[in-house]
Amino acid sequence: MVPKREIIFSSELLWIRSEHLLKKKRYEVLKRIIDIVCATVGLLLLSPILLFVALRIKLEDPSCGVIFRQERIGKNEVPFTMYKFRSMCQDAESQLAAILDKNEIEGAMFKIQEDPRVTHFGRFIRKTSLDELPQLVNVLKGEMSLIGPRPPLSREVLEYTPYDKQRLLVKPGCSGLWQVSGRNKVSFKEMVALDLAYIHQRSIFYDFKLMARTVKAMIVPSGSY
C-alpha cells in the first residue's frame, strides 16, 4: 500500500508550469554534479558485484549477452539507449506480443508478476534491483539521473495523454518516488501522480532522502518483479 501522503496529487490534476522548471536551474547544475560523483563512486565500489552478476548471467546462458540494451524515452521525449543486466531469455522481445493480454497494470505500462521470459537468476536481480546497476553508465552519459521518473518505452509514450507527458519534462531516474512507493503495486495513474509530485517538490535534500529509501528497498525488496 502506498502511503496517502506520497500521492498528494492523485485526486486532482497537477500541471507543471514552465516557470517552475526555470526556477530549478541552480538545482539542476548541483544535481548533475552529484549524479556524476555518486555514479562514478558507485561503479567503483560496486565493481565486484557487477562482475559477479555478469559472470552469473553468462553461466546461466552462455549464448546470451550480459547487458540488455533497450530504447527508452528521456527528457523532452528524446530517445536514448538504456542499459540493464539481462534478466530475460534472449528472444524476450519477440515473445512480448503473445503475453500482452496478461498485463497486470492498467494504463500505458506492461508488467506481469510471473513473466515466463524471466530467467531463474533474472528473478533474483529484478527482485533486488541489481539488474538496474548498469544504468549508472546512463547517468554518467547525462541521459538519466540517479533520481527521477521511470524512463518509459516508446510504445508506452504513444498512449500518453498531454497530462501524462509532463513526466517527461525532466531526466528519467534510476530510482524515484514511484520506485520506493510500491513500484509494481502502483497503478499507472498513481505512478504519474507520484512523478508529477516529485517534479513539483524536488530538491537536493529530497533526492538524498529518496536515495536512502532506494537503498532500503534494495535490501528489503517490496513490489518488484
Side-chain angles (χ1 to χ4, degrees):
M1 179 68 68
V2 180
K4 289 183 178 179
R5 56 186 170 79
E6 297 288 16
I7 310 179
I8 58 175
F9 298 107
S10 59
S11 61
E12 58 181 280
L13 297 183
L14 173 68
W15 291 91
I16 306 298
R17 298 179 181 276
S18 57
E19 56 264 32
H20 175 77
L21 296 175
L22 290 173
K23 290 179 181 178
K24 294 289 186 176
K25 289 300 181 180
R26 186 177 299 178
Y27 158 79
E28 294 282 2
V29 172
L30 184 55
K31 181 182 178 75
R32 179 61 185 148
I33 294 172
I34 293 172
D35 280 346
I36 293 173
V37 172
C38 290
T40 302
V41 172
L43 285 170
L44 291 174
L45 293 180
L46 297 171
S47 56
I49 296 177
L50 293 169
L51 180 60
F52 167 75
V53 173
L55 290 174
R56 187 65 179 78
I57 292 172
K58 201 64 178 176
L59 285 173
E60 186 168 45
D61 189 347
S63 65
C64 284
V66 170
I67 299 297
F68 175 66
R69 297 170 175 80
Q70 187 178 53
E71 182 182 277
R72 295 292 182 111
I73 304 301
K75 180 180 179 181
N76 297 327
E77 301 185 51
V78 176
F80 69 97
T81 300
M82 189 183 78
Y83 308 113
K84 297 181 71 172
F85 277 126
R86 182 177 294 280
S87 61
M88 293 186 176
C89 58
Q90 193 166 13
D91 59 344
E93 291 295 291
S94 62
Q95 294 183 31
L96 179 61
I99 59 175
L100 277 175
D101 61 334
K102 296 180 174 61
N103 190 15
E104 297 174 1
I105 296 183
E106 183 179 351
M109 191 163 55
F110 176 81
K111 289 285 183 180
I112 57 175
Q113 189 163 355
E114 298 297 330
D115 195 322
R117 303 171 300 161
V118 180
T119 64
H120 178 72
F121 186 64
R123 295 191 186 282
F124 169 73
I125 61 176
R126 286 164 71 98
K127 186 74 173 178
T128 56
S129 297
L130 291 175
D131 63 321
E132 298 181 0
L133 290 180
Q135 291 171 28
L136 292 175
V137 175
N138 289 117
V139 174
L140 288 178
K141 292 174 66 179
E143 298 161 336
M144 295 180 64
S145 178
L146 292 173
I147 299 296
R150 165 189 171 271
L153 295 162
S154 55
R155 60 176 172 79
E156 294 173 343
V157 175
L158 290 175
E159 299 180 35
Y160 278 16
T161 65
Y163 179 76
D164 300 334
K165 284 187 176 182
Q166 290 184 103
R167 64 189 302 277
L168 304 175
L169 291 172
V170 300
K171 282 185 185 179
C174 299
S175 184
L177 187 53
W178 167 72
Q179 291 91 326
V180 300
S181 300
R183 200 167 178 174
N184 296 321
K185 295 180 181 179
V186 177
S187 70
F188 174 74
K189 181 179 179 181
E190 290 171 328
M191 183 191 73
V192 173
L194 286 167
D195 285 339
L196 297 189
Y198 165 73
I199 293 172
H200 190 264
Q201 58 189 310
R202 60 198 174 127
S203 66
I204 296 300
F205 174 78
Y206 195 32
D207 284 349
F208 276 117
K209 180 181 177 181
L210 292 176
M211 287 182 203
R213 290 179 60 182
T214 298
V215 174
K216 179 182 177 181
M218 292 179 71
I219 298 172
V220 186
S222 175
S224 57
Y225 46 80

